Amino acid sequence: MEPSGPPRCRLCAKPISPYIIPLHVDANERTHRELLGGGQLQEVFHYLSECDYSTGLGSVLPEFQDAQPTNISITPGLTLISQPDTDLVQKVGNIYKDLGRVEDNCIKLCASLWPKLRNNHELSMKEYQELIELHQRLLHKHLEFFLTSHHPSVSATARGQLAKYVTLKRIWRHGIKSPQELLRKRLEDSREYMLTFVETAYCIMRLLYEIVPTFADGLCESLGDLARYRMAIENYDSRDHQTWKYASRYWYWKVSNRLPTVGRLYHHLGMVARPDVLQQLYYYSKSWCVPTPFSGTGDSIGILFKPILNKPIYENSDDEAFVKFHAVLLLGREKEEREVAEQYFLDNLDGRITEREKDWLHPGYYIAICLICSLVEYGSATGPLADASETFQSAKAFAMKTCQVVFRRKADTHTLPFLYTIFVFLHYVAEHPTALSRIENDVPWQDLVTVLNAVYCALNSESSMTDDTSNKCPLPENYAMRGFLFAQDHFLDDWFHKPEEIEETPESRPAEKERCQRILCLGWQICNLVPQIEWNQELKIFRTVNDEVRSGEANVAEP
């Protein structure tokens, strides 16, 4: 008796949605099944889309962890491909010809549909179906091309030659972006078609990510874009919206950890950071200040600023007041408006830290990095630390006042990520005398010394001025600083050997002592680079040079 209900995946036993991959029963299906070891392609895509894609098969299905290798020569229903290299290359050539024909048809179809949409004409159901089916066929052809060209029998040389014919940019442009843009123009009519196509494209790109390692970075970004498309279709408060938002952030984070100096990726992360305005400002600012900045951030940050600028200051939250200061600074608005936002934020900062406690750990280093970005004028050509600029002078005054408020909390554990980030930046500035000369008169050295002495006392007998880096692991703020020039010499070579690490995961281990130790060591190094502060070995304290002068004068005055 046939079981009722939808078919279920043999890997995870979940129901298979009929629209995940609509397979076309033709000669190509046999090729897919052979190359995938005789399995059902629909189940493979279902597994990749429904199961946790951050883990491997063994971690999802424990029963496979200790399984012994199967003797594939006696596996029933499995057809082995043992063709010579030249035969497979010829087969790939034939697939490429078919791919080219389908691609030409897709281009012609899109070109014929655009005039209708521009004239506000509705597309018929038949036209929508033709659009979806034709582009799905194109994506399947791309998949077939890569499955065949990456067969073990194909030599690495031949595989490299074949990869030149089909690039990720080509797949995205003709296979995904063109139909998505068409469907987006009439989303109220094409929503179901859009859902079907985006999920199909997501599954295919996910499988390509597994079988084409040379495209890993681009495929991560493409998967993030597709998840963001899918997120945008859903209602903001829906569960599906949040699910696809997390998926998009996962892929963008993954590729940004592999390419930490590419600003475009931080712009994308800012797009999916809504509604957290502070996190958005952090990502947008970072996209301008890394070595490969992204110029397109301006439009997105303008969307962030607009509602905040339109509200009176007393209706802004503390985070919004901080963002408002940067908005006024960047847009060159009235000085009075900037001063009001600055004062509102500084007046509430200390109380806000006390109120939020450990919830200020991440906002702390977001704020620190945004302040640093303002000091380098958000990556402008006149930076870094161009003291002739009015923008720099305003940013410097605000940054130092903020540091003064946080420094006066001494070694408060909730402010340690902020302190650590600022100390990394100050150490970098101290190594560059020209940059140091532009802020040294404004740095609150006395409060900085108070922080260092508090950190030294907190560590007690465990304190060491020489940093033992053998057991160090990156902290969340290290991932946030990664990509900036001011932090590149601070990191150890093997800190980021796991690019899939996520920078904002809850801390799995107590890190207060580790942060204090790093702050202490940075403070010691800064002492050896700047004339304003020093370490007194006899008294076992840090102090400013003015303190030493006053102490000497007092000793002379004694009878």
Side-chain angles (χ1 to χ4, degrees), residues 255-323:
V255 67
S256 69
N257 283 331
R258 296 167 64 99
L259 303 172
T261 61
V262 178
R264 181 184 68 255
L265 303 172
Y266 300 113
H267 167 264
H268 297 345
L269 281 164
M271 293 285 286
V272 294
R274 297 168 182 165
D276 189 333
V277 295
L278 181 59
Q279 191 177 33
Q280 284 181 265
L281 179 64
Y282 151 68
Y283 279 126
Y284 290 151
S285 300
K286 187 173 183 177
S287 73
W288 276 331
C289 297
V290 290
T292 308
F294 182 61
S295 59
T297 299
D299 293 337
S300 299
I301 205 169
I303 295 171
L304 167 65
F305 289 160
K306 186 175 180 179
I308 295 175
L309 289 170
N310 289 338
K311 288 198 295 187
I313 189 64
Y314 58 84
E315 292 184 7
N316 291 133
S317 66
D318 297 328
D319 289 345
E320 287 176 336
F322 182 80
V323 173

Side-chain angles (χ1 to χ4, degrees), residues 20 64 68 79 126 137 148 193 203 209 231 251 266 324 415 421 423 492 498 510 516 521 533 549:
I20 285 183
F64 285 98
Q68 298 299 318
T79 304
K126 183 178 180 181
R137 193 176 307 139
T148 310
Y193 297 101
C203 293
Y209 174 78
M231 175 193 77
W251 291 112
Y266 300 113
K324 190 167 192 172
T415 65
T421 304
F423 270 73
L492 300 181
K498 295 180 180 179
C516 286
C521 293
I533 61 174
V549 172

Side-chain angles (χ1 to χ4, degrees), residues 57-59 61-69:
L57 178 61
S59 59
L61 302 173
E63 62 268 28
F64 285 98
Q65 289 182 349
D66 301 322
Q68 298 299 318

Side-chain angles (χ1 to χ4, degrees), residues 397-413:
F398 181 59
M400 296 310 163
K401 290 176 183 177
T402 304
C403 288
Q404 195 169 33
V405 172
V406 181
F407 286 177
R408 287 176 178 173
R409 297 182 67 88
K410 300 181 180 179
D412 182 351
T413 56

Side-chain angles (χ1 to χ4, degrees), residues 445-446 448-449 452 523 526-528 530-535 542-545:
W445 295 110
Q446 187 61 56
L448 184 145
V449 162
L452 289 173
I526 292 171
C527 278
N528 296 325
V530 301
Q532 285 81 8
I533 61 174
E534 67 172 11
W535 165 254
F542 291 91
R543 63 183 184 182
T544 63
V545 174

